[in-house]
Amino acid sequence: VNRRRDMITLTTRQKEIIEFLLEKNIFVTSKELASFYAVSSRTIRKDLDHIQLFLKENDVLLIRKQGKGVYIQAGSDEIKKLGSILNKQENIVYSKSERLAIAQILLLIYPNITFQKMADFCYVSKQTIINDFEEMKRKLYEHHIEIKKIQGVGLHVEGEEIEIRRCFLDLILCSDHSSVILEVCGHNQVMKKYISICNTMINKIETVLHYKYLDKKRVELILAFVLDRINHKHYLKETSNLIITNEEVEKIASILHQYISADLEIEYISSILVSERIEGRMTNEDEILHEARAISEYLIDELQNIHDFDREILQDTIHGLHLHMKAAIYRCQNNIHIRNELIEQVYYTIPVIYEFTKKKIKIVEENYDLSFDENEISYIALYLASIFETGIQESLRVRIMIICAFGLATSSILKARMYQIFGDCDIIGPYSIEEAKEYLKQNTVDLILSTNEFEIEDVSVL
């Protein structure tokens, strides 16, 4: 792929955000953008930083106002020029984290795949993918999945089938790069083979149950992945006796029986389908969702009493807890038991959060007439630990602006010193005094380091 190093290039999502903002022509909040593109607010903020540089390069202003959101200030001629530039930017440039997510999903989809094929999907060189390999291995190992190499054939993954499927679901449902993954899966030939039959199955379910899936494309891709695993004889092992008594699940199962013979696979797919977002679900299900949100918010409120954190930054994880709580309530009411393979690690690695969760769940059980077992409690503890730890990290993150007129070497030294002192911080600049003034009209920082005389209200300047 040819790239011009002197031009700022955009990812597919960043181009879409620009087009979205131009079309809206009003202030849009980071939270709204995060919800629309199914990524975290933090990811959106990083995208907006990159977009701001791109627009500045093209003499267009991105206005960012706290409490109001972002807005592209452009006249008709500037909009026309931007459209032309965006159309000419044919090369897709993925960030490293996007590239790693794509590589993981490809390893899960393909029985065997080469470094070169992954490189082609990611629009980078083969060597770049090889350089990413150790990190790929580490990320998959977190799901108890190993990457194996076969000389002359390629790479494939090995692990318990349930772990491989959980990893796929995590990437497509919970990753910051879900939209990129959906795009890659949607154009993948392996997945495309099953889309027609998946579409038929979903249409039948929607007709029988009188509702519509909000993310139909995502549901199709999840079904396609499971069908491909079954087709290659990668079956789930019998780990527990699932008891399905819910009328809705029974109707879904009866439709799936027309296409799949294994009862355990039908139960597994049914459990996924009942947790997907829909329009027009029966009242009982709405009550479960309401209870799930109320319980989740209670637990998060209690956690926030220990250490305050910014909920907006953690919306994705909190949403994940809502969905998990909904499924947990459903399992409690229908005597369905799951096993948390990480339960021992939870006891020993996050004992304080586990005991906190256990104590608060007792209150929840009394108030809602529910009974959560140790497996369910340990899963909820994992969500709360993630919210707590991420909240602490975000609250300690410092935004530092560097103002420097002495050149790159001095700036580099200042940057290096700040990273040593603060570790996880955001470095803004180096900017000239004029550039700094423009930036601070629309943005906030915690500290300014300047090699020139500089003063501004409410910010410490060294």
Side-chain angles (χ1 to χ4, degrees), residues 91-274:
N91 299 333
I92 299 169
V93 181
Y94 293 118
S95 67
K96 183 177 180 181
S97 55
E98 286 175 327
R99 198 166 64 237
L100 285 167
I102 292 167
Q104 288 176 77
I105 211 79
L106 294 173
L107 282 161
L108 296 175
I109 290 172
Y110 285 97
N112 289 288
I113 188 166
T114 62
F115 283 128
Q116 186 58 60
K117 194 165 186 178
M118 281 195 280
D120 292 341
F121 270 102
C122 295
Y123 300 96
V124 293
S125 68
K126 178 181 173 183
Q127 189 57 49
T128 300
I129 295 296
I130 292 170
N131 293 343
D132 292 341
F133 184 59
E134 288 304 315
E135 201 163 345
M136 265 184 248
K137 281 171 67 176
R138 182 180 61 76
K139 285 187 174 293
L140 285 173
Y141 193 71
E142 289 171 4
H143 288 269
H144 311 290
I145 298 167
E146 293 186 62
I147 304 176
K148 300 289 186 182
K149 281 192 215 176
I150 301 176
Q151 196 67 33
V153 177
L155 310 168
H156 70 275
V157 294
E158 290 183 5
E160 291 289 330
E161 182 60 20
I162 191 68
E163 296 296 343
I164 289 171
R165 296 191 191 184
R166 277 178 188 155
C167 185
F168 180 88
L169 289 173
D170 280 353
L171 284 165
I172 210 164
L173 296 174
C174 309
S175 167
D176 277 351
H177 309 304
S178 297
S179 57
V180 172
I181 291 166
L182 282 169
E183 190 178 331
V184 170
C185 289
H187 292 93
N188 186 274
Q189 293 305 315
V190 173
M191 307 291 267
K192 278 184 174 180
K193 289 190 297 184
Y194 301 94
I195 292 301
S196 177
I197 190 168
C198 291
N199 187 262
T200 302
M201 291 160 71
I202 292 166
N203 286 342
K204 284 186 178 180
I205 290 166
E206 288 180 333
T207 301
V208 169
L209 291 166
H210 309 293
Y211 58 54
K212 295 283 181 188
Y213 285 103
L214 291 175
D215 296 294
K216 193 167 182 177
K217 179 184 174 185
R218 186 175 74 186
V219 179
E220 285 176 353
L221 292 172
I222 292 170
L223 269 178
F225 178 74
V226 174
L227 290 178
D228 186 61
R229 296 299 295 176
I230 294 170
N231 194 41
H232 284 89
K233 299 185 171 28
H234 298 299
Y235 303 114
L236 290 173
K237 291 179 182 175
E238 192 77 45
T239 54
S240 62
N241 294 318
L242 302 180
I243 303 168
I244 296 179
T245 57
N246 182 284
E247 182 185 349
E248 182 182 5
V249 179
E250 287 178 348
K251 286 179 179 178
I252 292 173
S254 67
I255 293 166
L256 295 178
H257 262 298
Q258 300 168 27
Y259 305 91
I260 302 163
S261 57
D263 287 341
L264 190 60
E265 295 291 356
I266 290 168
E267 289 163 359
Y268 173 79
I269 295 170
S270 298
S271 71
I272 293 170
L273 292 174
V274 294

Side-chain angles (χ1 to χ4, degrees), residues 369-419:
D369 192 26
L370 294 166
S371 179
F372 296 96
D373 63 23
E374 294 290 299
N375 290 285
E376 296 285 8
I377 293 169
S378 60
Y379 266 126
I380 295 164
L382 284 170
Y383 273 100
L384 294 180
S386 176
I387 291 168
F388 185 73
E389 289 167 13
T390 307
I392 289 175
Q393 288 166 9
E394 288 291 343
S395 67
L396 295 176
R397 195 171 181 89
V398 180
R399 287 172 61 82
I400 302 167
M401 172 181 277
I402 294 176
I403 301 174
C404 181
F406 296 142
L408 185 61
T410 310
S411 307
S412 298
I413 293 167
L414 285 170
K415 275 192 179 185
R417 290 283 166 84
M418 287 305 96
Y419 281 127

Side-chain angles (χ1 to χ4, degrees), residues 82 125 177 276 282 339 392 438 449:
L82 267 182
S125 68
H177 309 304
E276 275 293 329
M282 57 187 71
R339 186 178 172 217
I392 289 175
E438 283 301 312
L449 295 176

